[in-house]
């Protein structure tokens, strides 16, 4: 039984919560899983390449006697400069931003989809995209064993999805 609210013009409006909310199409979930996996996995080789090539500038503040005497100051300032130097480097900051946006998308996915499907699918696609990213960025050869592992991962995703359809 749906309740309605009446406005001064006597036009019935559906009450909040009346009816059943429609679920997004399955294609939306599939694309969302793939985008999160892409954001997490494909950016990882770019992050690693930027971190390996990173050559931070000297920081005179770290050479002051007051900083050298204090282990806390030395560690805090060292961590601060390490983070700020990396974030200032666009080759690191851009993939990091994309990677972190994947975490936001994942948060939204977890709230609206089956948890026992979301986590394995997203983590598996992240692994698959990491392997593809290493091939793309570093020219790494995808070995036969890795290819078999990737196919087994895809088979595992298919089994997880199939098991939820039979319930």
């Amino acid at each position: 039984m749906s309740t309605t609210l009446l406005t001064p013009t006597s036009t019935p409006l559906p009450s909040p919560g009346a009816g059943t909310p429609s679920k997004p199409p399955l294609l939306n979930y599939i694309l969302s899983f793939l985008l999160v996996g892409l954001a997490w996995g494909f950016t990882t080789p770019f992050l690693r390449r930027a971190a390996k090539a990173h050559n931070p500038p000297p920081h005179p503040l770290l050479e002051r006697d007051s900083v050298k005497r204090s282990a806390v100051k030395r560690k805090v300032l060292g961590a601060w400069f390490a983070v700020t130097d990396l974030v200032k480097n666009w080759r690191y900051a851009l993939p990091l931003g994309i990677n972190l946006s994947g975490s936001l998308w994942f948060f939204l996915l977890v709230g609206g989809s089956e948890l026992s499907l979301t986590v394995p699918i997203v983590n598996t696609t992240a692994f698959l995209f990491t392997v593809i990213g290493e091939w793309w960025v570093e020219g790494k050869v995808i070995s036969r064993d890795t290819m078999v592992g990737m196919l087994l991962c895809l088979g595992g995703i298919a089994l997880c999805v199939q098991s939820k359809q039979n319930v």
Side-chain angles (χ1 to χ4, degrees), residues 1-69:
M1 180 167 134
S2 175
T3 59
T4 57
L5 301 173
L6 296 178
T7 62
T9 59
S10 298
T11 306
L13 297 173
S15 65
T20 56
S22 62
K23 290 188 85 172
L26 181 61
L27 182 62
N28 287 8
Y29 284 112
I30 293 169
L31 289 175
S32 298
F33 292 149
L34 289 174
L35 283 174
V36 172
L38 182 70
W40 282 352
F42 198 71
T43 58
T44 303
F46 289 95
L47 288 167
R48 182 173 64 193
R49 181 174 68 182
K52 284 170 66 174
H54 182 61
N55 190 12
H59 295 286
L61 182 61
L62 295 175
E63 299 302 319
R64 289 185 180 173
D65 288 336
S66 63
V67 174
K68 286 182 176 180
R69 282 189 300 243

Side-chain angles (χ1 to χ4, degrees), residues 12-155:
L13 297 173
S15 65
T20 56
S22 62
K23 290 188 85 172
L26 181 61
L27 182 62
N28 287 8
Y29 284 112
I30 293 169
L31 289 175
S32 298
F33 292 149
L34 289 174
L35 283 174
V36 172
L38 182 70
W40 282 352
F42 198 71
T43 58
T44 303
F46 289 95
L47 288 167
R48 182 173 64 193
R49 181 174 68 182
K52 284 170 66 174
H54 182 61
N55 190 12
H59 295 286
L61 182 61
L62 295 175
E63 299 302 319
R64 289 185 180 173
D65 288 336
S66 63
V67 174
K68 286 182 176 180
R69 282 189 300 243
S70 171
V72 173
K73 281 184 184 178
R74 196 172 52 248
K75 296 243 187 239
V76 169
L77 287 173
W80 170 257
F81 286 128
V83 170
T84 57
D85 289 342
L86 280 173
V87 172
K88 288 178 187 176
N89 179 354
W90 73 268
R91 287 181 176 91
Y92 189 85
L94 182 63
L96 178 65
I98 294 169
N99 190 293
L100 292 175
S101 73
S103 296
L104 293 174
W105 297 335
F106 180 74
F107 175 76
L108 296 173
L109 271 176
V110 167
S113 60
E114 179 72 35
L115 186 63
S116 61
L117 284 177
T118 304
V119 174
I121 290 173
V122 168
N123 285 324
T124 301
T125 57
F127 160 70
L128 297 174
F129 282 118
T130 299
V131 172
I132 294 167
E134 285 181 325
W135 168 76
W136 180 272
V137 173
E138 299 174 8
K140 280 191 174 181
V141 176
I142 301 174
S143 70
R144 182 181 55 87
D145 290 346
T146 301
M147 189 63 73
V148 169
M150 292 170 74
L151 292 172
L152 288 171
C153 286
L154 289 173

Side-chain angles (χ1 to χ4, degrees), residues 114 116-117 120-121 155-167:
E114 179 72 35
S116 61
L117 284 177
I121 290 173
I157 289 174
L159 286 173
C160 285
V161 170
Q162 180 63 30
S163 74
K164 293 300 176 181
Q165 290 179 353
N166 290 336
V167 175

